[in-house]
């Protein structure tokens, strides 16, 4: 028998709770009880099995008309597995994951709120799932109507005038927004050269700017965690195409000077781009368009709870001021009388930046987002923003003193602590994060934003109850105590999940990125 | 932390060793410690020109990328090729096995502007 | 609101802990003039029953009573229910990007399996964890080719998916790389003589469809030879991935990069998105690849596990020098494709691909009987262009019967001499003999 995973019964020791964790708050989830080892699909040896039921290829209809050298008999290496074995394989490996449905997931900047099951059911209605993107308009009026309503709602919530739905994710939205900005400047005769970014920016911001051919100039934020008008004034020239701001920023702090900063940028002909990753804080409370923002991208997978899916798909609609609407990518949905239509022909929108992806956007995510907005209604939208901010401030109040707060400034939807108090005992943010796993919680975002050494960035979202937050706080307090009493135990965390700390150095030095026939993967 | 007496140093934590007419270059013990496990190194080709203070390659850990800066101008005459398969040498033996490139300097006097061991030690202590 | 667990007592207690008097107090850092003084103007809240009625109304306004005969980059295929049952496991669909590997081994192992499937189907060495879609994957492949070769010219076939070409052009607006388009001949295949002329010492890559937008299978070995002679990479873009079960792997025929979408595996059409873009290349280019990559390693007890690796290429570390700005990709769609491919396996995929080809030949015979000959003579997989007289008129007429007839080629190739009559049609395992006959008769009725 082969045992490619290297599992030995003696390792069961490690699956037991670490010291002091019996009855720990939040304990449970996928890390306790019977956990199965599971091979790779490709490591199964059987031949002749199949997990699908398909019509037979009629005799005499074998492909003879294709050039022989362009055809293959079959794809070597593909597994041969029955349906039940496939089901078990994925069910088992799924149990090695922590998801929002498993437990609290306070990953800062990612807005891990509950993903409504209604939205899943609705997106799967055949009338949505089985529409072809090139269906004639009369056969897809429902899809177009939904997109039209969503476009209106997203424009309204952002306080802007028009929204392009097609960008596929947040970073794609950033790329789109900057393309629109570039097209605007080009229409004035000069695309300009630089984009200003505060030092708290997400990594996608500089990468998106560079992909757009812009140089990046980083601005230092003040000791209060905010970008101050003086820094912008000093950097702002007629060579600057735009400033990219996240508001609230990645410290969870509102950029109070946004209006003045926008005025400074506008005075020199520049534009204000807001990274909408943190829109959850402002929902129904304040609107970027009212603050002088010209362009913002949404992340529907954050703010409107379309599932993160283990890394996507996202959806990154881009909202703009009316003056920028002609530059938006195609398609756009228009309403003519009672009928809806997609504008895809650049002759109708000659100033459009063009197409950003195939077809019309991640439509299945539009269905989910629209379903949630319909369920929220105006009060629900506002209540979402308020409760998200309440939850973050509650965690902040309860943990202040136990963990160091590098910025005392007011927090909105997320709060950033650091490991300054724990470092005295040699315990780092990484140790705290890994021990949280043993308590049944997903760790916060760590080591980001870069302006905070050892950052722990906590975003609870509004869908978490006070009891859950209390359990999380208790776990964090227990870890802080453990850091004093037994720092070595923390370095060994996590002890409860299916795998202990993984050797990332080994993975990067000798990359093994796929299975090959006859290969032992380790 | 090891800082050999016979080498010269940059403020970006490269070291330079005179070997005949060549200058051998690597990164210091302090630098490798700050980086953590080195997983990849990208070096120039033999014959490439390098310029004092400018980047000649990168060194990567799992979570960071750092540029390498030439301590002296000249031409690359030898590259430590085994590093591409064994980047861990940079962690294990930064001053010998972990050397990176050898430069034929265009102006050997540029070396005089670099820090000596004592000055580099003071600089590092200040950094910490 | 069922998603907000806070009772009035909870809110009170939490505000007390925070030291705030009201929820509005929490927003004191937002200057008064910047606050919204009215409710946002969205429709009133719906309960779940009303919600299903309203979205059900919208869904019912889309006619999906027949599988479409349009493919053109988005394909109607049967998705076994087992796929969706597994996708709906909350452990998968409510997880984030696997930054914490100890609690993400499920996602990570599935990604490793996805990468393996992509490599096996494309015949290339390495794959990433997915892209947004086929079009952006193609644009990223072109950008990677410019980095790898240090060259600025991109040569694309006119028969590459027009939407992929348009997206590529959009991405190139600010990089100022040059785009040269090579025409196709009467057989629907790339004009090799024109290709030979178009490539030169500044060509970074040649990009062709595999199969191309016209449904035609390109002479890939010859294309790759021409590209290689000029020191350029060969990139194939595959929109209909089922074809890879019958057609030779692009990597085996000389392609250096294979991109496209695996929508055909496990992902419904959903009006064109989302779908899992894929990206595969040769080992030598791995550090120039865009996007996340999953790799195998060991945990500290020596047990196999998986992590995201080679992350220094990415935006969160290398920022403006990253190989791409992509962060969120199409993880769940890639999982759907992985599950479907696991169910299909070697025999199932071969059967599905041959069945698609057989159905396309049935369609060809039926269309010929109906007086609609194929426009291009080159070899095909499951899509073909037929001369139906007036393609837009046919599409409009069949729409009245609830049929999506195909993609009129004139929308993308208005200058082509046969554009007016040219209709691009697909036949898959969903198009049975009766439906094909009905369709062919309706086209000329």
């Amino acid at each position: 028998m082969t045992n490619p995973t290297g599992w030995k019964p003696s390792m069961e020791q490690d699956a037991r709770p670490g010291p002091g964790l019996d009855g720990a708050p939040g304990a449970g989830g996928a890390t306790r009880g019977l956990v199965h080892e599971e091979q790779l699909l490709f490591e199964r040896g059987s031949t002749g099995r199949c997990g699908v039921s398909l019509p037979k290829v009629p005799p005499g209809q074998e492909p003879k008309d294709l050039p022989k050298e362009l055809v293959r008999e079959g794809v070597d290496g593909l597994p041969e597995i029955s349906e039940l074995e496939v089901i078990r394989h994925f069910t088992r490996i799924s149990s090695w994951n922590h998801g929002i449905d498993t437990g609290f997931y306070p990953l800062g900047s990612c807005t891990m709120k509950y993903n409504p099951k209604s939205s899943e059911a609705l997106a799967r209605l055949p009338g949505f799932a089985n529409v072809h993107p090139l269906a004639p308009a009369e056969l897809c009026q429902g899809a177009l109507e939904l997109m039209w309503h969503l476009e209106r709602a997203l424009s309204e919530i952002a306080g802007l005038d028009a929204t392009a739905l097609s960008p596929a994710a947040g970073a794609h939205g950033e790329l789109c927004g900057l393309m629109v900005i570039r097209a605007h400047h080009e229409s004035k005769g000069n695309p300009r050269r630089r984009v200003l970014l505060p030092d708290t920016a997400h990594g996608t911001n500089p990468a998106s700017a560079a992909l757009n051919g812009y140089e990046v100039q980083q601005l230092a934020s003040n000791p209060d965690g905010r970008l101050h008008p003086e820094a912008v004034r000093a950097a702002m020239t007629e060579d600057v195409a735009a400033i990219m701001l996240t508001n609230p920023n990645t410290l969870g702090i509102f950029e109070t000077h946004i209006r003045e900063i926008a005025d400074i940028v506008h005075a020199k002909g520049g534009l204000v781009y807001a990274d909408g990753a943190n829109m959850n804080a402002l929902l129904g409370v304040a609107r970027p368009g009212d603050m002088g923002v010209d362009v913002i991208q949404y992340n529907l997978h954050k703010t409107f709870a379309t599932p993160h899916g283990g890394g996507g798909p996202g959806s990154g609609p881009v909202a703009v001021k009316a003056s920028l609407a002609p530059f938006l990518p195609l398609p756009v949905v228009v309403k003519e009388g009672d009928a809806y239509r997609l504008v895809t022909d650049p002759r109708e929108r000659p100033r459009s930046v063009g197409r950003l992806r195939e077809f019309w956007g991640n439509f299945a995510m539009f269905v989910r987002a629209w379903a949630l907005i319909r369920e929220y209604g105006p009060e629900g939208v506002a209540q979402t923003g308020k409760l998200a901010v309440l939850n973050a401030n509650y965690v902040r109040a309860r943990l202040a003193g136990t963990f160091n707060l590098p910025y005392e400034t007011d927090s909105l939807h997320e709060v950033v602590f650091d490991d300054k108090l724990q470092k005295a005992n040699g315990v780092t943010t990484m140790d705290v994060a890994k021990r949280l796993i043993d308590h049944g919680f997903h760790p916060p975002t760590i080591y980001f934003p870069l302006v905070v050494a050892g950052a722990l960035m906590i975003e609870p979202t509004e869908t978490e109850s006070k009891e859950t937050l209390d359990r999380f706080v208790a776990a964090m307090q227990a870890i802080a105590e453990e850091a004093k009493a037994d720092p070595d135990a923390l370095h060994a965390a996590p002890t409860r999940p299916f795998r202990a700390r993984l050797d990332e150095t080994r993975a990067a030095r000798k990359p093994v990125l796929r299975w090959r026939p006859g290969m032992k993967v380790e | 932390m090891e800082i050999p007496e016979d080498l010269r140093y940059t403020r970006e934590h490269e070291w330079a060793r005179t070997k005949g007419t060549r200058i051998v270059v690597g990164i210091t013990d302090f630098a490798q410690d700050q980086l953590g496990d080195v997983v990849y190194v990208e070096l120039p080709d033999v014959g490439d020109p390098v310029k004092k203070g400018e980047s000649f390659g990168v060194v990567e850990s799992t979570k960071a990328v750092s540029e390498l800066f030439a301590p002296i101008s000249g031409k690359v005459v030898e590259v430590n090729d085994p590093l591409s398969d064994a980047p861990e040498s940079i962690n294990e033996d930064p001053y010998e096995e972990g050397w990176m490139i050898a430069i034929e300097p265009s102006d050997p006097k540029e070396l005089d502007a670099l820090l000596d061991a004592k000055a580099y030690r003071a600089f590092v202590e200040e950094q910490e | 609101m069922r998603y907000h667990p806070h009772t009035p007592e909870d809110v009170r207690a939490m505000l007390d802990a925070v030291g705030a008097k009201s929820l509005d107090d929490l927003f004191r850092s937002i200057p008064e003039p910047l606050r919204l003084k009215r409710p946002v103007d969205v429709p009133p809240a719906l309960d779940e029953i009303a919600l299903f009625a309203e979205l059900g109304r919208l869904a019912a306004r889309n006619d999906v009573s027949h599988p479409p005969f349009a493919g053109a980059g988005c394909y109607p295929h049967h998705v076994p229910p087992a796929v969706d049952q597994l996708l709906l496991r909350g452990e998968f669909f409510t997880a984030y990007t696997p930054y914490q590997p100890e609690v993400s081994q499920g996602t990570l192992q599935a990604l490793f399996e996805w990468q393996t499937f992509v490599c096996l189907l494309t015949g290339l060495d390495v794959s990433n964890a997915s892209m947004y879609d086929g079009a952006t994957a193609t644009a990223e492949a072109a950008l990677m080719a410019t980095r790898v070769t240090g060259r600025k010219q991109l040569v694309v076939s006119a028969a590459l998916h027009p939407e992929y070409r348009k997206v590529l052009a959009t991405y190139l607006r600010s990089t100022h790389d040059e785009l040269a388009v090579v025409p196709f001949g009467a057989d629907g295949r790339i004009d090799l003589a024109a290709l030979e002329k178009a490539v030169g010492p500044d060509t970074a890559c040649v990009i062709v469809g595999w199969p191309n937008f016209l449904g035609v299978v390109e002479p890939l070995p010859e294309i790759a030879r021409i590209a290689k002679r000029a020191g350029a990479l060969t990139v194939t873009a595959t929109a209909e991935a089922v074809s890879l079960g019958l057609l030779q792997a692009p990597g085996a025929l000389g392609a250096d990069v294979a991109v496209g979408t695996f929508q055909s595996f496990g992902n419904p059409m959903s009006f064109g998105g989302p779908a899992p873009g894929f990206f595969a290349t040769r080992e030598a280019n791995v550090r120039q690849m865009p996007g996340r990559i999953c790799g195998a390693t060991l945990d500290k007890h020596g047990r196999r596990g998986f992590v995201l690796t080679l992350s220094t290429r990415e935006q969160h570390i290398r920022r403006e020098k990253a190989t791409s700005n992509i962060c969120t990709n199409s993880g769940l769609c890639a999982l759907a494709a992985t599950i479907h491919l696991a169910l299909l396996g070697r025999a199932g995929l071969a059967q599905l691909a041959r069945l698609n080809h057989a159905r396309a030949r049935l369609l060809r015979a039926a269309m010929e009987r109906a007086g609609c000959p194929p426009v291009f003579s080159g070899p095909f997989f499951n899509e073909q262009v037929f001369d139906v007289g007036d393609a837009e008129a046919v599409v409009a007429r069949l729409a009245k019967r609830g049929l999506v007839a195909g993609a009129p080629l004139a929308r993308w190739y208005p200058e082509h001499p046969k554009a007016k009559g040219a209709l691009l049609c697909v036949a898959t395992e969903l198009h049975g003999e009766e439906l094909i006959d009905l369709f062919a008769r309706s086209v000329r009725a």
Side-chain angles (χ1 to χ4, degrees):
Chain A
M1 201 189 89
T2 57
N3 181 7
T5 59
W7 178 87
K8 295 189 278 292
S10 61
M11 291 169 183
E12 285 295 294
Q13 288 298 107
D14 300 309
R16 293 209 192 120
L21 279 174
D22 287 330
T31 58
R32 188 188 279 236
L34 182 62
V35 181
H36 298 274
E37 288 287 338
E38 183 68 16
Q39 298 166 302
L40 289 169
L41 289 167
F42 311 96
E43 289 165 344
R44 292 161 178 273
S46 345
T47 54
R49 290 190 184 136
C50 184
V52 291
S53 156
L54 285 167
K56 297 253 182 319
V57 180
Q61 293 201 20
E62 292 298 323
K64 292 180 293 274
D65 43 356
L66 283 161
K68 227 190 189 110
E69 69 278 13
L70 301 184
V71 169
R72 56 177 156 183
E73 271 310 303
V75 179
D76 291 333
L78 290 190
E80 300 186 60
I81 314 177
S82 71
E83 181 169 326
L84 171 59
E85 289 174 296
V86 172
I87 294 284
R88 271 195 195 138
H89 175 80
F90 288 100
T91 303
R92 286 178 174 191
I93 68 172
S94 80
S95 73
W96 309 339
N97 261 10
H98 181 108
I100 300 164
D101 285 3
T102 324
F104 188 43
Y105 211 128
L107 198 62
S109 229
C110 301
T111 315
M112 302 300 286
K113 60 169 81 177
Y114 174 65
N115 303 133
K117 306 310 168 214
S118 299
S119 302
E120 293 306 306
L122 290 166
R124 285 168 169 80
L125 291 177
F128 291 135
N130 296 342
V131 200
H132 191 278
L134 297 177
E138 61 193 287
L139 299 185
C140 59
Q141 281 296 297
L144 297 176
E145 185 183 343
L146 186 147
M147 288 168 69
W148 189 84
H149 287 304
L150 180 63
E151 188 277 336
R152 288 292 80 216
L154 294 177
S155 298
E156 157 70 9
I157 291 168
L160 290 163
D161 301 301
T163 303
L165 297 175
S166 61
H172 204 218
E174 291 173 22
L175 182 67
C176 169
L178 286 166
M179 280 177 176
V180 167
I181 287 170
R182 192 181 181 93
H184 159 86
H185 288 304
E186 277 170 356
S187 77
K188 306 234 180 269
N190 176 8
R192 304 192 171 201
R193 280 183 39 219
R194 274 180 302 141
V195 165
L196 305 181
L197 283 174
D199 49 13
T200 49
H202 290 114
T204 49
N205 292 181
S208 301
L211 193 48
N212 240 297
Y214 283 122
E215 286 166 32
V216 171
Q217 183 178 351
Q218 190 163 297
L219 305 179
S221 41
N222 267 40
D224 66 353
R226 293 189 170 114
L227 187 61
H228 279 240
E230 304 80 68
V232 179
R233 197 174 285 119
M236 192 61 211
T237 68
E238 292 188 352
D239 219 18
V240 172
I243 188 167
M244 288 182 94
L245 288 173
T246 309
N247 201 10
N249 66 26
T250 58
L251 294 163
I253 295 171
F254 190 79
E255 295 285 5
T256 303
H257 312 292
I258 176 93
R259 186 73 249 188
E260 195 182 343
I261 288 170
D263 289 344
I264 293 166
V265 171
H266 289 151
K268 300 264 188 195
L271 294 174
V272 179
Y273 182 98
D275 175 340
N278 293 345
M279 262 307 278
N280 211 41
L282 302 182
L283 276 188
V285 174
R287 305 191 306 169
D290 300 336
M291 303 171 192
V293 168
D294 302 294
V295 186
I296 189 169
Q297 107 280 350
Y298 279 96
N299 298 53
L300 297 186
H301 47 294
K302 298 180 181 178
T303 315
F304 295 108
T306 73
H308 284 78
S315 183
V318 171
V320 297
K321 287 234 151 90
S323 60
L324 297 174
F327 303 108
L328 286 177
L330 296 178
V332 292
V333 189
V334 292
K335 187 177 182 189
E336 293 162 343
D338 287 332
Y340 300 88
R341 182 173 68 87
L342 279 176
V343 175
T344 57
D345 189 337
R347 283 171 302 189
E348 273 189 71
R349 295 276 179 135
R351 297 163 84 188
S352 163
V353 296
R355 294 291 299 279
L356 265 164
R357 53 158 296 147
E358 63 203 39
F359 304 119
W360 328 132
N362 283 345
F363 175 77
M365 301 299 129
F366 305 159
V367 177
R368 290 171 172 91
W370 181 238
L372 185 60
I373 292 172
R374 288 310 319 263
E375 204 169 344
Y376 278 159
E379 302 77 21
V381 169
Q383 196 69 358
T384 295
K386 288 176 183 175
L387 294 176
V389 170
L390 175 66
N391 276 2
N393 276 280
Y394 181 69
V395 170
R396 171 178 161 148
R398 296 281 321 273
L399 286 178
T402 308
F403 287 87
N404 179 56
L405 257 183
Y407 293 92
E408 293 283 342
T409 315
D410 282 5
S411 301
L412 287 181
H413 69 302
E414 64 194 2
V415 56
V416 178
F417 292 100
D418 65 30
D419 56 4
K420 197 172 163 196
L421 301 177
Q422 286 65 41
K423 268 240 172 94
N425 295 306
V427 168
T428 64
T429 283
M430 184 62 84
D431 296 325
V432 174
K434 297 300 185 192
R435 184 54 109 199
L436 270 172
I437 292 173
D438 286 329
H439 285 267
F441 297 108
H442 194 281
T445 293
I446 53 174
Y447 299 103
F448 186 84
L450 305 174
V451 293
V452 176
L456 278 154
M457 185 203 224
I458 301 168
E459 181 183 11
T461 84
E462 73 286 356
T463 57
E464 299 298 336
S465 67
K466 178 172 177 293
E467 290 87 335
T468 298
L469 302 182
D470 286 337
R471 283 195 290 270
F472 174 72
V473 165
M476 288 288 279
Q477 288 166 337
I479 293 168
E481 283 307 310
E482 197 181 0
K484 290 180 211 157
D486 190 1
D488 285 343
L490 282 182
H491 303 320
T495 58
R496 286 160 63 97
F498 173 71
R499 288 290 181 263
R501 277 194 213 190
L502 288 139
D503 188 347
E504 301 195 23
T505 301
R506 178 193 170 99
R509 277 184 181 160
K510 301 271 180 285
V512 176
L513 309 177
R514 45 104 34 118
W515 171 90
R516 280 177 195 277
M519 171 185 187
K520 185 167 183 258
V521 173
E522 58 175 27
Chain B
M1 180 185 39
E2 199 191 339
I3 301 179
E5 289 299 321
D6 58 330
L7 305 184
R8 305 302 290 259
Y9 301 88
T10 69
R11 285 170 198 276
E12 287 82 30
H13 308 286
E14 289 85 14
W15 53 259
R17 172 186 291 131
T18 308
K19 211 170 174 183
T21 59
R22 297 169 158 198
I23 307 296
V24 181
V25 177
I27 63 169
T28 66
D29 193 20
F30 174 80
Q32 71 77 22
D33 185 62
Q34 293 285 302
L35 280 169
D37 291 343
V38 174
V39 298
Y40 180 68
V41 56
E42 198 177 288
L43 298 174
D45 293 325
V46 169
D48 285 356
V50 293
K51 206 163 163 224
K52 182 180 163 77
E54 289 187 6
S55 167
F56 70 83
V58 295
V59 58
E60 299 185 2
S61 62
T62 55
K63 300 271 160 65
V65 184
S66 303
E67 295 210 59
L68 299 163
F69 297 97
I72 192 162
S73 302
K75 197 173 78 179
V76 178
V77 289
E78 200 180 342
V79 174
N80 186 2
D81 289 324
L83 281 187
S84 58
D85 277 333
E88 56 271 24
S89 305
I90 294 168
N91 294 114
E92 290 159 7
D93 192 4
Y95 297 107
E96 298 292 341
E97 288 275 298
W99 71 275
M100 290 173 171
I101 56 171
I103 299 172
E104 191 79 59
S106 47
D107 177 9
K109 281 205 287 295
E110 278 182 349
L111 214 54
D112 299 341
L114 298 181
L115 306 174
D116 62 17
K118 188 169 163 231
Y120 179 65
R121 183 177 297 278
F123 174 69
V124 165
E125 275 160 13
E126 203 175 295
Q127 298 265 297
E128 284 177 326
Chain C
M1 175 84 223
R2 59 173 157 166
Y3 309 132
H4 295 159
H6 303 68
T7 65
E9 295 72 33
D10 290 339
V11 172
R12 190 69 266 151
M14 292 167 82
L15 284 171
D16 286 347
V18 170
K21 286 198 180 62
S22 67
L23 286 172
D24 288 334
D25 250 17
L26 298 170
F27 293 89
R28 64 182 183 182
S29 60
I30 304 182
E32 180 63 26
L34 301 187
R35 291 195 219 167
L36 188 62
K37 312 290 188 310
R38 59 167 176 84
V40 287
D41 183 14
V42 298
L46 298 177
D47 60 74
E48 190 171 50
I49 295 161
L51 177 70
F52 272 70
E54 169 58 11
L55 270 84
R57 177 187 72 80
L58 292 173
R61 295 193 70 197
N62 301 321
D63 189 335
V64 294
S65 41
H66 301 288
F69 282 83
C74 186
Y75 298 91
H77 286 291
H78 177 68
V79 180
V83 174
D84 212 33
Q85 288 273 338
L86 290 166
L87 279 192
L88 276 168
R89 288 195 66 88
E91 297 91 332
F92 281 135
F93 91 87
T94 73
Y96 191 66
T97 301
Y99 287 133
Q100 296 286 344
E102 297 89 347
V103 284
S104 312
Q105 285 299 304
T107 294
L108 285 161
Q109 180 164 332
L111 285 179
F112 190 84
E113 291 171 343
W114 151 268
Q115 289 173 186
T116 301
F117 276 125
V118 171
C119 290
L120 292 173
L121 265 62
T122 59
L124 287 163
D125 303 319
V126 289
S127 149
N128 72 11
S130 76
M131 305 296 290
Y132 303 136
D133 65 2
T136 58
T138 302
E140 294 273 15
L143 296 179
M144 186 184 87
T146 64
R147 291 194 298 273
V148 168
T149 60
R151 299 171 173 194
K152 300 277 285 176
Q153 188 213 27
L154 305 160
V155 175
V156 302
S157 156
L160 175 68
H161 196 304
E163 301 224 335
Y164 292 18
R165 260 165 53 207
K166 283 182 189 166
V167 172
L168 176 58
T170 309
Y171 269 66
L172 296 183
R173 272 172 76 121
S174 55
T175 60
H176 307 299
D177 295 323
E178 182 200 330
L179 198 60
V181 180
V182 179
F184 52 85
D187 57 359
R189 295 196 277 191
I190 195 168
D191 180 338
L192 289 171
L195 176 65
E196 192 99 53
K197 279 200 205 101
V199 298
D202 200 32
T203 307
C205 66
V206 174
I207 312 178
V208 298
W210 183 251
N212 70 25
F213 184 68
L214 311 170
V216 173
V217 182
E218 295 278 12
L220 185 53
E222 287 78 11
I223 293 167
R225 266 197 291 278
I226 291 170
K228 195 164 185 190
R229 260 205 307 274
L233 304 186
T234 299
V235 178
T236 57
T238 298
E240 172 49 292
V242 171
S243 69
L244 298 175
L246 175 60
L247 301 181
Q248 188 52 267
L253 299 178
D256 302 287
V257 186
V259 293
T261 169
F262 271 20
Q263 176 264 328
S264 291
F265 299 124
N267 285 274
M269 293 179 286
S270 290
F271 208 38
F278 71 88
F279 193 112
T281 186
R282 301 194 182 280
E283 185 103 52
N285 304 326
V286 66
R287 286 179 186 274
Q288 289 298 332
M289 271 215 289
R292 305 200 192 294
I293 302 176
C294 169
T297 188
L298 301 176
D299 79 354
K300 65 177 195 171
H301 303 301
R303 298 173 296 192
R304 181 172 77 195
F306 301 91
V307 294
L308 292 179
T309 190
L310 305 183
S311 310
T312 47
R313 300 163 297 108
E314 291 183 69
Q315 46 76 28
H316 61 284
I317 293 174
R318 210 179 281 237
R319 298 174 83 85
E320 67 267 27
K321 289 181 180 155
T323 55
S324 167
N325 70 333
I326 191 169
C327 180
T328 288
N329 48 39
S330 303
L332 198 65
C333 305
L335 176 65
T338 303
I339 298 167
H340 194 186
L341 281 163
L343 290 164
L344 284 165
R346 192 177 198 278
L349 178 59
Q351 187 185 348
L352 179 64
R354 278 156 183 75
L355 187 60
N356 271 256
H357 184 63
R359 292 284 164 83
R361 292 201 312 181
L362 272 184
L363 177 64
R364 191 183 189 92
M367 292 295 273
E368 278 174 338
R369 283 198 300 278
C372 302
V375 172
F376 301 107
S377 56
F380 59 94
F381 172 63
N382 68 356
E383 267 186 301
Q384 301 157 87
V385 178
F386 297 104
D387 186 350
V388 299
D390 182 341
E392 290 288 357
V394 166
V395 167
R397 185 156 48 76
L398 266 63
K400 304 260 178 286
R401 303 178 61 170
L403 270 168
V404 180
L409 228 50
R411 292 182 192 172
W412 299 281
Y413 302 93
E415 306 85 23
H416 193 273
K418 292 182 179 170
K420 188 168 191 286
L423 187 65
L424 177 64
C425 301
V426 73
T428 75
E429 74 281 4
L430 293 181
H431 301 91
E433 203 166 343
E434 267 176 49
L435 181 62
I436 285 173
D437 278 342
L438 170 80
F439 173 71
R441 276 185 275 115
S442 314
V443 166
R444 266 298 156 108

